[in-house]
Amino acid sequence: MVSLSDYLILSSVIFCIGLVGIFINRTNIITLLMCVELILAAVNTNFIAFSHFLGNEAGQIFVFFILTVAAAEVAIGLAILTLLFRVRGSIDVDVTNSLKG
Amino acid sequence: MLENYLPIVVFIMLGLGFGAGPMLIGYLLGPSKPSEEKNSQFECGFPAFGDSRMYFNVRYYLVAILFILFDLEVAFVFPWAVVQSQLGWFGFIAISIFLFILVVGFIFEWKNGALEWE
Amino acid sequence: MELLSLLIWLPILGGIFVILIGNDRADTARWVSVAISILVFVISLSLYTEFDSTTHLMQFEEKASWISQFNIYYHLGVDGISMPLIILTTFSTILVLAAGWEVIQTRPAHYMAAFLMMEGLIIGVFSALDAILFYAFWEASLIPMLLIIGVWGGDNRVYAAIKFFLYTFLGSVFMLVSLIYMYNKGGSFSILDMHNLSLTATEQAWIFWAFFMAFAVKVPMFPVHTWLPDAHVQAPTGGSVILAAIMLKMGGYGFFRFSLPITPDASLEFSEIVIILSLIAIVYIGFVALVQRDMKKLIAYSSISHMGFVTLGVFALFLAYQPGAAEGALLGLEGAMVQMISHGFISAAMFLVVGVLYDRLHSREISTYGGVINSMPKFTGFAVLFAMANAGLPGTSGFVGEFMVILGAVQANIWYAVLAGTTLIVGAAYTLWMVKRVFWGAITNPEVSTMSDLNAREFSILAVLAVAVIAMGIYPQPVIEVMQVSIEHLLNQALVSKL
Amino acid sequence: MPEIFLLSAIVVVLLLDLFLTKPFKQVTYYLTQASLLITGVLAFSLMGEPQTIIFGGSFILDNMASVFKVFMAGSTMVAMVYTRHYLTQHSLFRGEYFVLVMLAVLGMMVMISGYSLLTLYLGLEILSLSLYTLIAIARERAGAVEAALKYFVLGAIASGLLLYGMSMIYGISGSINITDIANFATSANLASRETLILNFGLVFLVIGIAFKLGAVPFHMWVPDVYQGAPTSVTLFLSTVPKIAAVAMLVRILVDGLGAMHAYWADLFMVLAVLSIALGSVVALMQTNIKRMLAYSTISHVGFIMLGFVTGVVSGYGAAVFYVLVYILMSLAAFGMIILLNKKGFEADQISDFKGLSKHSPWFALMMLVIMLSMAGVPPFIGFYSKLFILQQVISAGFVTIAVIAVVFAVISAYYYLQIIKSMYFEDGDTQRTITAPMDMQLILSINAILILAVGLFPDFWMKLSVSLF
Amino acid sequence: MELWQSFVGLVYESIPWLDGNIAAIIIILVKAVALIMPLLLTVAYFTYAERKVIGYMQLRIGPNRVGPKGWLQPIADALKLMTKEIIFPSKANIYLFLLAPILAIAPAIAVWAVIPFDEGIYVTNLDVSLLYVLAIGSIGVYGIILAGWASNSKYPLLGALRSASLLVSYEIVIGFALVTVVMIAGSVNLNTIVADQQGGMLNWYFIPLFPMMIIFFISALVETNRAPFDVVEGESEIVGGTHVEYSGMTFAVFFLAEYANMILMAVLAVVMFFGGWHSPFEGVPYLEAVFAWVPGIIWLLAKSTFFMFLYLWVRATFPRFRYDQIMRLSWKVFLPMTIVWIFVVALMTQLHIGPWFA
């Protein structure tokens, strides 16, 4: 049987991949977004695993909402990306450098 | 419970196999005589011009975004739908509020022309 | 309204009123503000007349709950130490306002208002008996000064203004921290309660240095004095006067009100350091003043040097004190007080003198002038008098304070006294040399001959000051009398160990 | 409940705005103001009610919630007054703007009243999503879009981290309700493994919250967003959400994990000191006033966090007081920037303040008050908030921290002085006049005067802040 | 059923060294073969049927050369496709290019795992089988998008974009339409849904959900890129859309997926709205007895065949829609309709109307 810690290890691995991806990715914003999604996936795994092993649905409900919010986030994120593409002609991380102090 | 999912895994594997297998067969059986002309991208009879990764209408994005949102609403409605007959009027009112807000958003999109497609 | 509140808020509200009058009605604004300042002065005189000089207790007390979260009270009161300073403040303000009469043409109403507000705030500083109230007034008084220097100052005013502000701000935040510390320890922000708060030696040391940061900057003492020449030089005449005459006294007052009574043991322990710094200020800065070409700068440095006497007098008491014979210590303390007041008159006068010259030729360089006596004989008379006072000529107020301090210092250590005494020579040297170069001799600059002598306004201002300087020089007794008891009390506080 | 009203109002305004023709677009604005007003009144009417927890433990009504909501509605109204001027000047006036603001307010209200990890998270996201969109509302400005993107990406990461922490807390405590979590955390017989996992989750929660607050080293978005966003959005986002963030912090860390205070206080202390230091120092080099204020915000946030380091009720009260004060000041400061905006002219440089004291002495004076208050000079309100925090910090025994804080406060005073310098000591190149409508001028003046007035009589507010806990 | 049980028993006995898992997998494989082989055959002959039926409708004969009456035509087609060269466009991303057909066909096959053919006849009985169908079904979009993208050519990209937006638009509609089904059945298990329709035609869901049934059917046409909604291929506009660059078996796989999906949609329509394996004559006094011998699976297949025929019929009858018309249909007509109908069904449930909401 799959144990709780297996899930937790899996989720933490996903989480770390997401996090590392964010920090080493210096080129593409879409990749950034995908890394964020990875983090959320890790969180969801966590919640569901806990929920399952605790016998408590709150975690699953939470996941439901996280998914929704993630979707809304993606919607807005893509919209912003589109805008950025329009004003900049590119969606590389490098182009977001006009704001400096 | 979980063993019910084993067939699913097997079927997905099979599905992938049914994709890969025939192509492999085709690759083995068919001839392979590539030429530059043959391998060039399709164009209506003249040499390809421009970048095929062209800009496309932002409406496609819009549809994608709307899809994400509405699909999620569907996902929210499903659990309710399963048990709605047992929830009684409380469930009805709750989902009404939910759908009402959804509809408000829908009207907003509609009025803003997000659903127009020229 | 109680007397002290009236003294604080009348000028502040008056300032707002003057702002409302606006720059367009400049003359009205001028008259109104001078009227207010005179009114305030008159009211403040009743502090003196009704003052009970037989007690060290706070008088004219007012107490109302202000911030009950921290037991902060709107608590005012004066004793013999603060009362003279308040009167000095109200007095100087009139002079300053009058002195700025025609000189200030840009935004005159704002100028006047700034001074009025500052007057109220400074009176607040001197009369606050609650530490936070004190701190609030202390900091708030920076704001008008900042603007006065920055808006109406000289070419380098921005730098000077900001430097002035930041120096004093930096110094005072440490004071704030230690005030809070004491509040947490004693549960009260009342200064009088803090006097009785028992503190360990370490705490006292920290608190002492925190206070020292605040007050030493303000006084200013030797290593942290550099803002003062800039500020004085760049400020308009009125600003310089207020700075020298009053704001510096806030630092000295702080030593009297906070350092000595709250941290007596630390004061004792570190008194030598302070004394040495004071002596450096007195001697070294005196020499620095000697080489100045800018009159204002020269006076600024001489101010630092003179304020050195104040700190010297204050901290010499620990060395001067001998059991059974508190005379020497008392002399030093009183001398410091007297020195503060007299310096208030003298430095104000000196800056006004320079201001008069500056109004004529728009130059503060000593070398611009020469033979001013030829064109401005009346003015030269005053100028020489004040210069003498500045040099500590007997018969002027300058002599009294310095002499008392030196007497106190003698009790402490003869060498301190000797060193301090040199300032009489150095001070005489730079002041008289300046006088010689500016007023005597032949007219080298043709413009000097065109200078007109004092007008009635200038004359009356300088005359009043001259009277004050001489009166205090000849008969300082009234001043000393009112502070006697309070200072004796302070001495007791300073000498009783808290450990 | 005010939330329900606000939600209905949002729907109404959203729909109404769709059907309003151009000449009547202002109706949206007035409706927004009315909705916010009524929301505030409703929240006010709930004040003093005993604490109740509803919706299965996921929603709390207490005094803190009510006070925060009232304050939030009020400050949003003020922000909207300023915003209208900005929007009309820059042709950004759209109905969605106001709807989004109201949505953000709704999200914040949920955050304030949220009493389970889920409601808190949802509130946070409603807020964040609205803010992302608001920033990008100036579609054609590269800076704004870029700011939106940065805020979005970092905000999403922060949410992710926060959620990860939440999942850990949920996993170990078995509940997402703050009440249960608190019971779990206070229960005496925690195994060391359980404490470890709680701590593990806690770290992520703290990081997430620090992100949202903009504390160093999670502050990267703050300057860019403040600078890039349209000023009216910056105004909104620099002010009101701070209350909500603090409320969330209180709910999770104080109410829920108060027993773990010893653990998170250390983290907070580091974050706070770093924020104060970096915010004060880096701001010195800014020429863009929005960016400068961003760094100043970071340093203010440091002070707010210091209040939570103390771990006592009055310390939390001090933090809350600081937030309220900060919002009052920040509103006024950005209001002043907006005031200088003219048709097609985006005032965002410190040099835009040059010579303000000449042509508009009144507002120069107001700005002087605001800046000095931010610097913490008495008698303005900013001083008392710092005083309160310092008092608490010292009373908790962290004298060194207090000294560091005040030293950096002095350093930060320098850049506030830069603005005063521009206004008073320098002359502008061009004569600029104030074109703002009277209502804005009036509200802005009142706002600035409040900084002084509350500064003279801060007692009530301090007591109120402390009474919330 | 008994036969099956004994077969399973036989497997277990004859290969004693097998542990349970491998045995289970083998059993599943056997089931899969039993399911997929007929499916492929159906696909093959569905293409044939299409050409024939449309041919007759257009008064021509259709394929008639290969084998008697052209019966071997599908086989010939398959052989031809197999021996064609697979062209890899020079600018294409080879891996994605090849992944696309796989992603297209895999869901089309995987979905069948949960389809109930008769009471108790299914590969697996998931509690969430309907969700599984929806979830797996939407993966098909990736195949199309990837195909368009990986080809790195204009027409496929255009086709992919169009296709993707169409698919997702109609997926929402299908989702909402199926919500109403779930509302009545109170379950997302396909078996339960079918079982719930027991008791004669009146109990089938297409009666209370008639509009939804129509919407579902039309959406199914769109989802499978069938005429009159085949703008994705749109030979006359974008010369075959996504598949332009595909040849030989790569193309055949797409083709296979499309037809498998069509069949799937037909079956789903039956399962959702037309009582699945239930006989239409249940509860009808005389006929019920007459047709009692017919196994449920036959009914299911018969009904499905009707729908498959309907596909062809529609194709032969209607002209192609314009793209914007299709989009408008989904967003502005179907979507509001489904939402309204959700309310209606909810109300009917609360008011206990008819035999369906007792």
Side-chain angles (χ1 to χ4, degrees), chain E residues 214-233:
Chain E
I214 303 289
I215 287 176
F216 181 84
F217 180 73
I218 295 175
S219 304
L221 287 178
V222 182
E223 287 280 297
T224 49
N225 293 330
R226 291 295 299 177
F229 304 113
D230 57 344
V231 286
V232 173
E233 292 178 21

Side-chain angles (χ1 to χ4, degrees), chain B residues 18, chain E residues 35-36 38-44 46-47 104-112 115 223-224 226 252-268 308 311:
Chain B
F18 265 95
Chain E
L35 197 152
I36 294 173
L39 176 68
L40 291 180
L41 214 60
T42 318
V43 169
F46 191 34
T47 61
I105 186 118
I109 288 184
V111 169
W112 286 97
I115 301 292
E223 287 280 297
T224 49
R226 291 295 299 177
V253 171
F254 274 116
F255 198 72
L256 204 64
E258 193 175 321
Y259 278 80
N261 271 328
M262 276 162 69
I263 299 169
L264 176 71
M265 280 300 184
V267 174
L268 272 183
M308 283 154 70
Y311 278 120

